[in-house]
Amino acid sequence: MSTSTDRRLGRRAQAFLRRTGRGYAGTHDRPLRGYLAAMTAFGAYTAGWATVVRLRGRPLPDRPQPWDVLLTSVATFRLSRLISKASVTSPLRAPFTTYVGPQGPAELHEEARPETGRDTVGELMTCPFCMSVWVASTLTAGQLLWPRATRVAMGAATALAGADALQLAYGTLVSRATDD
């Protein structure tokens, strides 16, 4: 193909994406290009892990063990909230978010910066549901490549989630007992 043909195809693809975005979003601001970039990045990330797992020659289990699914679920929950909401990890989110205020014990409410490129990353970084996809994939890859170390780390994250639940339960009991 010639360079001019490549440019025409590129312009047509951009025009198609703009029309699709306007048709989808209507009057709302939805960063479809950013979401497409995030999906592409996630695909590359998981393909990279899958390639490493394959090159290492580790066999895949026939099915996940129930205990591993439970451990991964709780660890994913806790690590996703730690990354996306914790005060202590706010420096990781700061380039992509704006501080709004506190949101629960040791958690923050932040909003994605509206600048192009930062909005999608900001949404990902402040959404524990979005972050959990990346965390669960990472933990799954870790279980395939370094099962012992990953289970120890997941055990620690699970213990932290349990401790958090106990702290909240204790606070509720004290509050009720003292009529606060």
Side-chain angles (χ1 to χ4, degrees), residues 13-33:
Q14 287 178 342
F16 172 76
L17 289 174
R18 276 194 297 275
R19 281 192 315 273
T20 301
R22 281 192 304 265
Y24 170 77
T27 60
H28 303 282
D29 184 23
R30 302 305 309 149
L32 287 184
R33 287 184 183 187

Side-chain angles (χ1 to χ4, degrees), residues 93-94 96-101 109-115 126:
R93 298 184 304 273
F96 310 102
T97 62
T98 302
Y99 174 78
V100 176
H109 174 68
E110 298 163 322
E111 292 182 356
R113 291 191 185 197
E115 298 106 35
T126 59

Side-chain angles (χ1 to χ4, degrees), residues 78 105-106 159-175:
R78 187 62 195 107
L160 182 58
D164 289 349
L166 291 171
Q167 294 289 359
L168 292 170
Y170 179 80
T172 300
L173 289 173
V174 168
S175 179

Side-chain angles (χ1 to χ4, degrees), residues 4-69:
S4 63
T5 303
D6 288 346
R7 277 190 227 131
R8 276 194 307 256
L9 285 174
R11 284 193 299 269
R12 285 183 183 165
Q14 287 178 342
F16 172 76
L17 289 174
R18 276 194 297 275
R19 281 192 315 273
T20 301
R22 281 192 304 265
Y24 170 77
T27 60
H28 303 282
D29 184 23
R30 302 305 309 149
L32 287 184
R33 287 184 183 187
Y35 296 154
L36 183 58
M39 288 172 28
T40 302
F42 181 76
Y45 179 70
T46 54
W49 275 117
T51 300
V52 172
V53 168
R54 184 161 179 86
L55 290 174
R56 295 267 313 263
R58 293 225 180 234
L60 294 176
D62 290 334
R63 64 182 162 273
Q65 297 299 312
W67 174 248
D68 285 336
V69 172

Side-chain angles (χ1 to χ4, degrees), residues 34-50 124 130-138:
Y35 296 154
L36 183 58
M39 288 172 28
T40 302
F42 181 76
Y45 179 70
T46 54
W49 275 117
L124 172 66
C130 305
M131 185 57 64
S132 68
V133 175
W134 291 77
V135 171
S137 296
T138 302

